[in-house]
């Protein structure tokens, strides 16, 4: 009877140590698994590619048995919703476009660090937040789209060249309220400094074909319609126009060429759509599993083929359409800087009159 009594005393001692806090039961936030964790994960997403993203989420459920529940809305609306819901929020993952939007969620204290060797293996370091609060899932390049019947590719070179007099009244781009414009200028602040970034923004305002209005597709359609010669826009929008079921969009897109600027200097500006795990998540382990799944080859290939975005996983090739546009040199900066420089970018836009 001596051994059972000794074992019982040991268990009682261990229980008392745990109760007294002498034995740690804590785990890192993003690797924590609890016995009560459910077989579901809840996504609040601002991405609007239902046919693409839903197929990827279904593949994840088929593989893991974890159900994916989705709430869709605008990025800012979802941030406000998570704030309002507080600790009772069902959100596990927040997905949105642009590193600038992810920075806003991070600064609002809505995200938690993600610890995952798989994500760090699959995603380049500059596409992961420096504090690991978010990761990039897909990449897009901010390219120059030009009218093939009026502009020779040889006439194009850099973003800076668009401020020269020869482009007076010929440049189209989005408004300063748009996060894509803000993040692009934020990258120029990081690479060239505030003075040169402001000089560039002022030069673009001077050369605009018309006041900025509409989305990226609208800029492309304006070039096709002869309202300007060159538009600054995200690459995947042109890809989606070329693959569109709307024959008018296809017809407009076929009039346009793609150019990757700054290949002999600082590289073309790139950004991501990405995701973070919500600080109040009740299903952290499931959320990590889903993000890891989204970074693997299967999901990355689907993103590349169906949405004409670039995969962030360098082991996965882009779609044939994107390969036909050629390879290109990218800006070599951490995308965390896009958020950190956002406030100054907005100020510069106001100072130079970029509407």
């Amino acid at each position: 009877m001596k051994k059972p009594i000794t074992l019982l005393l040991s268990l009682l001692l261990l229980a008392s140590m745990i109760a007294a806090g002498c034995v740690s039961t804590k785990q890192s936030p993003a690797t924590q698994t609890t016995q009560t964790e459910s077989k579901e994960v809840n996504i609040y997403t601002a991405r609007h590619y239902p046919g693409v993203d839903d197929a990827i989420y279904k593949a994840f459920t088929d593989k893991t048995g974890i159900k994916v529940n989705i709430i869709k809305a605008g990025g800012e609306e979802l941030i406000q919703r998570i704030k309002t819901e507080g600790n009772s929020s069902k959100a596990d993952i927040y997905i949105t476009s642009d590193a600038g939007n992810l920075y806003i969620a991070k600064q609002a204290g809505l995200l938690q660090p993600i610890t995952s060797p798989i994500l760090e293996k699959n995603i380049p370091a500059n596409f992961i937040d420096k504090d690991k609060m978010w990761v990039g899932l897909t990449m897009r390049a901010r390219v120059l789209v030009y009218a093939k019947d009026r502009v020779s590719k040889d006439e194009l070179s850099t973003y800076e060249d668009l401020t020269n007099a020869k482009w007076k009244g010929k440049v189209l781009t989005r408004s300063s309220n748009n996060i894509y414009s803000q993040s692009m200028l934020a990258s120029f602040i990081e690479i060239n400094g505030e003075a040169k970034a402001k000089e560039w923004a002022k030069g673009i305002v001077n050369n605009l074909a018309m006041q900025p209005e509409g989305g990226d597709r609208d800029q492309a359609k304006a070039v096709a319609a002869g309202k300007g010669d060159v538009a600054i826009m995200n690459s995947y929008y042109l890809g989606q126009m070329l693959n569109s079921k709307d024959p008018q969009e296809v017809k407009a897109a076929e009039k346009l060429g793609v150019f990757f600027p700054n290949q002999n200097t600082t590289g073309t500006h790139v950004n991501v759509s990405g995701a973070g795990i919500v600080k109040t998540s009740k299903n952290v382990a499931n959320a990590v599993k889903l993000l890891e799944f989204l970074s693997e080859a299967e999901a990355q290939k689907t993103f590349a083929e169906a949405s004409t975005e670039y995969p962030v996983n360098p082991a996965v090739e882009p779609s044939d359409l994107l390969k036909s546009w050629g390879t290109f040199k990218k800006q070599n900066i951490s995308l965390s800087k896009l958020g950190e420089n956002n406030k100054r970018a907005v100020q510069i836009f106001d100072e130079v009159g970029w509407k």
Side-chain angles (χ1 to χ4, degrees), residues 95-107:
I95 297 179
T96 189
S97 61
D98 203 286
N101 283 328
L102 291 163
Y103 178 81
I104 292 171
K106 172 187 173 181
Q107 290 304 102

Side-chain angles (χ1 to χ4, degrees), residues 12-26:
L12 290 172
L13 177 61
L14 178 62
S16 65
M17 290 174 68
I18 293 174
C22 297
V23 176
S24 175
T25 58
K26 291 182 177 179

Side-chain angles (χ1 to χ4, degrees), residues 158-262:
T158 64
Y159 298 113
E160 291 83 354
D161 182 62
L162 294 180
T163 66
N164 288 333
K166 67 179 181 180
W167 299 110
K168 184 77 174 178
K170 298 180 179 179
V171 178
L172 292 153
T173 189
R174 292 180 75 152
S175 74
S176 60
N177 291 328
N178 178 256
I179 192 69
Y180 302 157
S181 299
Q182 295 169 8
S183 288
M184 183 175 176
L185 186 58
S187 76
F188 294 167
I189 292 172
E190 184 63 24
I191 293 170
N192 301 322
E194 286 188 22
K196 287 189 176 180
K198 184 174 181 178
E199 181 181 344
W200 175 81
K202 186 176 182 180
I204 292 295
V205 170
N206 290 337
N207 282 351
L208 287 175
M210 60 184 191
Q211 289 294 333
E213 61 181 29
D216 279 17
R217 290 179 194 238
D218 295 311
Q219 312 310 315
K221 291 174 183 175
V223 173
K227 297 179 180 178
D229 284 352
V230 182
I232 304 171
M233 62 181 286
N234 281 348
S235 50
Y236 65 95
Y237 282 114
L238 186 63
Q240 291 173 4
M241 288 177 67
L242 288 167
N243 293 333
S244 174
K245 295 180 180 178
D246 181 349
Q248 294 303 315
E249 277 203 342
V250 176
K251 186 178 179 180
E254 288 176 344
K255 295 180 179 178
L256 308 175
V258 177
F259 185 83
F260 295 96
N262 295 59

Side-chain angles (χ1 to χ4, degrees), residues 48-65:
H48 298 286
Y49 308 106
V52 180
D53 293 5
D54 291 352
I56 295 174
Y57 299 147
K58 183 180 183 303
F60 173 74
T61 299
D62 290 345
K63 181 176 181 179
T64 65

Side-chain angles (χ1 to χ4, degrees), residues 121-170:
K121 175 177 72 72
N122 290 341
I123 303 173
N126 61 322
F127 292 165
I128 299 176
D129 175 59
K130 65 179 184 180
D131 298 317
K132 300 182 179 180
M133 293 292 189
W134 54 261
V135 296
L137 297 176
T138 63
M139 187 189 81
R140 59 282 305 273
R142 199 128 183 95
V143 297
L144 304 185
V145 168
Y146 61 95
K148 289 190 288 190
D149 63 341
R150 300 190 299 279
V151 177
S152 165
K153 202 168 187 176
D154 295 337
E155 297 179 77
L156 300 167
S157 58
T158 64
Y159 298 113
E160 291 83 354
D161 182 62
L162 294 180
T163 66
N164 288 333
K166 67 179 181 180
W167 299 110
K168 184 77 174 178
K170 298 180 179 179

